[in-house]
């Protein structure tokens, strides 16, 4: 039972480490929060929410795998090839997610209705602005401090 809880602990630790160390993952998470707000205003049905959830989790999972491969390849001697391939795989999954989003949100009348709903709702625009500010702060300042080697001072790191 202890191994089970330690597995959950290391999973959460790995997720936080990936989020703290990769700006691209934070950007994708910020875009996801705005997409969820738009999908709510768009009034997706249950199947649409399921497709959106599956697609976004696939994109985030591919980006986390990209972070892991880049980190593992930077510790070895062959830095370039594995990192480039994992970045290409992550970009391909993101392009597929864009196609899925275009298919989900293709109805022009519903897009106009959702944008008007966000614009003229008294609280929706406030929520959108607050969410945008939180996203900018999350991407810009939510970063893990760089680790120094033993005995190395801050001035030597520069």
């Amino acid at each position: 039972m202890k191994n089970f809880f330690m597995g959950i602990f290391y999973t959460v630790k790995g997720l936080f480490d990936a989020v703290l160390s990769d700006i691209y993952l934070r950007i994708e998470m910020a875009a996801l929060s705005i997409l969820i707000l738009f999908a709510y205003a768009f009034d997706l049905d249950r199947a649409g929410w399921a497709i959106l959830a599956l697609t976004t989790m696939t994109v985030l999972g591919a980006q986390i795998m990209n972070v892991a491969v880049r980190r593992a390849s930077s510790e070895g001697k062959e830095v370039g090839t594995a990192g480039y391939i994992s970045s290409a795989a992550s970009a391909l999954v993101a392009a597929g997610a864009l196609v899925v989003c275009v298919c989900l949100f293709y109805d022009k009348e519903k897009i106009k209705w959702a944008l008007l709903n966000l614009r003229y709702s008294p609280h929706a625009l406030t929520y959108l602005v607050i969410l945008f500010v939180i996203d900018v702060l999350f991407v810009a300042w939510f970063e893990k401090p760089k680790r120094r080697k033993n005995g190395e001072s801050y001035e030597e790191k520069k």
Side-chain angles (χ1 to χ4, degrees):
M1 193 67 162
K2 180 181 176 184
N3 289 338
F4 175 75
F5 289 115
M6 289 307 293
I8 292 174
F9 172 74
Y10 287 127
T11 301
V12 172
K13 184 178 185 286
L15 178 65
F16 277 113
D17 191 40
V19 169
L20 289 174
S21 65
D22 190 45
I23 191 167
Y24 301 114
L25 183 60
R26 292 193 306 269
I27 289 171
E28 287 175 356
M29 291 176 84
L32 172 63
S33 66
I34 293 173
L35 178 67
I36 288 173
L37 182 70
F38 181 74
Y40 178 75
F42 195 79
D43 198 28
L44 280 180
D45 58 346
R46 285 172 42 176
W49 279 108
I51 292 169
L52 189 65
L54 182 63
T55 303
T56 55
M57 292 303 132
T58 304
V59 169
L60 293 177
Q63 187 63 31
I64 290 172
M65 290 301 294
N66 185 18
V67 170
V69 168
R70 280 188 289 147
R71 187 171 298 169
S73 66
S74 68
E75 293 173 1
K77 295 185 182 191
E78 192 66 31
V79 176
T81 307
Y84 295 147
I85 292 172
S86 68
S87 294
S90 179
L92 188 65
V93 170
L98 183 64
V99 171
V100 169
C101 284
V102 166
C103 292
L104 280 177
F105 301 113
Y106 183 70
D107 191 4
K108 293 178 185 177
E109 291 302 317
K110 280 183 90 174
I111 289 174
K112 288 178 188 175
W113 180 81
L115 291 175
L116 288 175
N117 189 15
L118 284 175
R119 182 175 177 199
Y120 292 116
S121 175
H123 301 294
L125 193 57
T126 306
Y127 294 148
L128 187 61
V129 170
I130 290 171
L131 182 64
F132 183 73
V133 169
I134 290 171
D135 284 345
V136 168
L137 293 174
F138 176 71
V139 170
W141 287 302
F142 192 62
E143 187 169 358
K144 184 177 179 180
K146 306 292 183 210
R147 294 186 182 173
R148 296 188 301 268
K149 296 177 185 174
N150 289 338
E152 183 180 28
S153 68
Y154 179 74
E155 289 79 23
E156 293 172 352
K157 188 69 177 173
K158 288 182 180 178

